[in-house]
Amino acid sequence: MSKGIGIIGAGVMGADHARTLAVHVGGAELVAVSDADDTRAAAAARANGAWRHYSDGFALIEDPAVEAVLVASPDATHVGFVLACLKAGKPVLCEKPLAPTAGECLEVIEAERRLGRRMVQVGFMRRFDPAYGEMHDVVKQEALGRPLLLHCAHRNATAPGFFTPEMSITNAAVHEFDILRWLTGREIVAVTTLNCARKGAGPLRDPLMLLVELDGGILADVEVFMNAAYGYDVRTELVCESGTVDLGRPLPNMRRFAGGQLQSFPGDWRGRFGEAYRLQMQAWVAWLVGGEPRGADAWDGYAAMRVADAALQSLESGARIEVATAGPAVAAA
Ligand SMILES: NC(=O)c1ccc[n+]([C@@H]2O[C@H](COP(=O)([O-])OP(=O)(O)OC[C@H]3O[C@@H](n4cnc5c(N)ncnc54)[C@H](O)[C@@H]3O)[C@@H](O)[C@H]2O)c1
């Protein structure tokens, strides 16, 4: 039996998820779309075989045809929608971040715990990217000895217009916090955020450099550059005791001409992580129809935002900030 999916938010990501669900994933069908802009909701619904559309996301959650919900609205709206899904007993795949602060993520963990079953998946889709998957296997199998260092870069061509200085951390760097935890299987214990003195950087204080310390002495440097101008480029090099792994970057063909060569970069994340979004959706639907849950859970969403909270404090103070450890009540979740 095909599961009825509702999507909240029909912007860049919501429309892309709607297409992925309609075209590439079996076992579920798009039945409704909601967006604050109802015209946009209607367009995304119709383009992908659904006819129900709402300007109010809470109305979509209450729709009996909607059995599970994908939240792809702006970050600050996530928690309200996720809590409403839990109240309605509907599983939810929430785009990252689960919430802009760790405190709000805790509300989700508490609500899910009260229900007594796992209901939430967080859209840290890099966990489904084949190149990151291979890097994960290298660490798990200790093929190159233990991990020592990671060098990471997260570059966008231009920051979206709605981006605030905090979002370089809460919206962009969170991907790095999650993938560092997932790759190494270690928690992040401290973070130092530095911004370079770039003239004309504007309010974003772009680019940022973060020094991330993980359990067991593993270190990572993370560049977040939201206005890198040339394209969307995500890099990770893993340095282990007896070798290194450089994250593959699927790129279009190389052109050679006039004594040079040219390789273009994707304009944004959809060109780089399309396969990861598809595999993430497929895994979520497989769980909905009776399989095992895969992917990041609410705890992972919370863990990434604990680091984000510390990174923001460090950006303000310039100091190295230790990441708050979870209290016993939370750790038991
Ligand atoms: N996983 C990833 O790689 C990735 C990449 C980009 C964005 N995201 C996340 O996806 C989410 C959406 O980002 P986007 O780039 O699509 O943004 P967007 O601005 O393109 O789209 C957001 C949409 O939400 C709608 N909206 C605003 N308030 C709403 C509300 N209260 N209820 C319903 N709809 C509302 C807007 O009208 C807009 O259509 C964000 O949380 C962002 O962090 C994730």
Side-chain angles (χ1 to χ4, degrees), residues 8-15 17 34-37 40 55-57 71-78 81 95-97 123-125 160 162 167 171 175 232 269 273 277 280:
I8 301 178
V12 174
M13 285 313 292
H17 286 313
S34 156
D35 195 288
D37 175 348
R40 198 175 280 183
S55 56
D56 176 5
V71 175
S73 47
D75 301 358
T77 66
H78 290 181
F81 290 135
E95 261 303 346
K96 48 59 46 179
F124 284 126
M125 79 300 171
F162 54 78
M167 287 175 87
N171 183 289
H175 272 304
Y232 181 76
W269 44 93
F273 286 112
Y277 295 125
Q280 169 181 258

Side-chain angles (χ1 to χ4, degrees), residues 198-217:
R198 177 180 176 225
K199 284 203 175 82
L204 280 195
R205 303 206 243 167
D206 206 30
L208 297 176
M209 177 67 82
L210 294 88
L211 180 62
V212 177
E213 300 170 49
L214 293 108
D215 229 4

Side-chain angles (χ1 to χ4, degrees), residues 149-153 180 219-222 235-239 246:
L149 301 169
L150 294 104
H151 305 291
C152 310
L180 287 171
L219 295 177
D221 56 81
V222 176
R235 301 174 177 216
T236 304
E237 185 190 10
L238 167 70
V239 180
D246 211 352

Side-chain angles (χ1 to χ4, degrees), residues 244-311:
T244 72
V245 188
D246 211 352
L247 186 76
R249 277 168 269 153
L251 292 172
N253 294 347
M254 176 93 77
R255 283 189 229 163
R256 295 192 180 84
F257 61 96
Q261 60 185 30
L262 175 77
Q263 194 161 41
S264 53
F265 280 85
D268 69 31
W269 44 93
R270 290 167 297 174
R272 167 63 183 86
F273 286 112
E275 179 70 349
Y277 295 125
R278 186 184 67 76
L279 293 170
Q280 169 181 258
M281 181 86 76
Q282 206 168 54
W284 183 53
V285 169
W287 175 30
L288 294 178
V289 299
E292 287 297 310
R294 289 179 55 213
D297 60 14
W299 176 265
D300 296 313
Y302 164 67
M305 296 321 291
R306 257 187 344 190
V307 183
D309 284 357

